[in-house]
Amino acid sequence: SNTIRKQITEMVTLAGIPKDIDGVQHFELRNLDYIGFNDVLTSKELEHLKSQLDPENKGVVPSQTLVDYLVNFLTGYDKDLLLNALKRLDGDSDGFIPYEDFEYYMRNYGIELPDKEMAMLLA
């Protein structure tokens, strides 16, 4: 969505001073830690992200490429996988997932979130 793209663009801009290369704004990958993904991604996942964005190890990537990658990463999902998971949670196939079941699965199998964020998600 445009809101997510705008937020990610702002995060990338704030994380490091862009480097102009041939008129194109580039992001120095050494500043990737400043975006704040350390709480979301493991160091191995961050290294994988860097290798995908910068296979030649130049240390920079066009800022727009980084924004596009992060938008796809944060908004992408496997539709079939999601639908199958929701069907399993809807044990009686009535189209509704009981709150207790949803809460249980989110707390035990979902992304680990701080209590405050989990409470907002479940509200």
Side-chain angles (χ1 to χ4, degrees):
S1 93
N2 287 335
T3 302
I4 291 174
R5 179 171 295 281
K6 184 178 177 183
Q7 290 173 336
I8 291 174
T9 300
E10 187 175 313
M11 288 168 57
V12 168
T13 302
L14 293 173
I17 298 169
K19 199 173 185 181
D20 188 291
I21 301 175
D22 298 326
V24 176
Q25 297 295 314
H26 282 67
F27 181 83
E28 293 183 84
L29 290 173
R30 65 187 170 95
N31 294 324
L32 200 56
D33 293 343
Y34 299 120
I35 292 180
F37 284 114
N38 294 344
D39 296 336
V40 179
L41 301 174
T42 65
S43 58
K44 186 176 180 179
E45 290 170 323
L46 275 172
E47 286 307 312
H48 179 71
L49 184 147
K50 288 178 186 177
S51 69
Q52 284 188 318
L53 290 170
D54 185 22
E56 297 173 9
N57 279 327
K58 293 181 179 179
V60 294
V61 63
S63 296
Q64 191 58 51
T65 300
L66 177 60
V67 169
D68 292 343
Y69 182 91
L70 293 174
V71 167
N72 288 333
F73 176 79
L74 294 172
T75 60
Y77 63 90
D78 183 326
K79 184 178 179 181
D80 292 332
L81 182 68
L82 180 60
L83 289 174
N84 286 334
L86 291 173
K87 284 179 185 176
R88 283 195 303 265
L89 290 173
D90 181 15
D92 59 5
S93 300
D94 67 352
F96 296 95
I97 300 169
Y99 176 85
E100 295 79 17
D101 292 348
F102 183 72
E103 180 180 21
Y104 174 82
Y105 282 100
M106 286 303 299
R107 290 192 184 279
N108 293 290
Y109 301 106
I111 297 171
E112 195 171 320
L113 295 173
D115 287 339
K116 184 177 179 181
E117 291 181 31
M118 183 63 75
M120 286 176 29
L121 174 67
L122 296 172

